Amino acid sequence: MPLQEERLIILDTETTGINPREGHRIIEIGCVEMVNRQLTGRNYHAYIKPLDAKGQTLVMEQEVIDVHGLTNDFLEDKPNFSQVVHEFIDFIRGAVLVIHNAKFDVGFMDHEFALFNSINRAQDKVPMTHDICTIIDTLHVSKDEFGSPKTLDYLARFYRVDKLVDRTYHGALIDAQLLAFVYIEMTRKQSTFNLSAGSDENTNADDIRRLTDNRNKLKIIKASADEKEAHKDRLNIIKEKGGQPLWKY
């Protein structure tokens, strides 16, 4: 039986700031489509004119412009979010979204969807992100892989894909393309494992494989007293700076 196709959308956004509750808006959406871990060449890309609570053009600060390179003048003739919301949702609907730091992007997306719903007729309401997509957060995946969350820049360098995309500015489509290459490399071991596990046509991939009793024993290396104390000191520093450590003493 052929495997069901898995459709992934690698997604990134650019915004006018870091908190939608302070009135900040999405100004760029970049999406890259993958099917069964292969890039299809289908993308969704939109620049968006940000509006404030009164429906007037929101003017960005220069320090924000310096990050993504999108100026107020450049965005002036672009559509506002309500003009692209349906085509955007149609592109991502039913897919698995791959996002680095999904809490940020999904937070902005749901804020935009909620704003759209608040000013439109009942029959034109749009869903929230989790209603139409499942989400993989590569920030969390990097924590599982490396022991701590890693930036997209770090992952791109680690997997040696940082030279595949010109990132003079952190554009949404550019970063989505880079994340696609990172994700392929990040999950390559999973693909290899799945292929090898199903390579024997007489073996059911769901069968339980039991290890023999005479297998080599796993070596367990425990932390020393000094290492435990250093770990405790590090957690105290994190707490003093207002963080909430995930690890316990």
Side-chain angles (χ1 to χ4, degrees), residues 3-28:
L3 295 175
Q4 183 177 2
E5 288 189 347
E6 180 185 43
R7 181 172 182 259
L8 303 179
I9 298 297
I10 320 300
L11 181 148
D12 189 59
T13 64
E14 294 295 339
T15 65
T16 63
I18 62 173
N19 192 346
R21 295 180 180 179
E22 295 178 357
H24 291 294
R25 306 292 299 271
I26 290 176
I27 56 173
E28 185 185 4

Side-chain angles (χ1 to χ4, degrees), residues 27-28 45-50 57 60 65 68-79:
I27 56 173
E28 185 185 4
H45 185 218
Y47 292 113
I48 298 166
K49 176 181 178 179
T57 301
M60 292 182 292
I65 296 173
H68 47 60
L70 302 177
T71 66
N72 295 301
D73 288 342
F74 175 79
L75 295 173
E76 181 60 35
D77 63 348
K78 302 302 184 287

Side-chain angles (χ1 to χ4, degrees), residues 89 92-93 97 106-118 125-133 135:
I89 288 177
I92 66 173
R93 186 186 297 274
L97 299 184
V106 174
F108 264 96
M109 290 161 58
D110 283 347
H111 180 71
E112 294 285 1
F113 295 155
L115 285 177
F116 178 84
N117 288 340
S118 70
K125 301 293 185 183
V126 297
M128 297 295 105
T129 308
H130 284 278
D131 295 330
I132 57 173
C133 299
I135 298 167

Side-chain angles (χ1 to χ4, degrees), residues 9-11 29-33 42-44 88 91-92 173 176:
I9 298 297
I10 320 300
L11 181 148
I29 302 170
C31 298
V32 176
E33 183 185 64
R42 291 188 68 226
N43 299 333
Y44 176 82
F88 172 48
F91 189 82
I92 66 173
L173 184 60

Side-chain angles (χ1 to χ4, degrees), residues 9 11 31 37 40 51 72 93 121-122 126 153 157 226:
I9 298 297
L11 181 148
C31 298
R37 294 174 48 81
T40 66
L51 303 179
N72 295 301
R93 186 186 297 274
R121 302 183 305 275
V126 297
D153 288 333
R157 290 193 300 270
D226 289 342

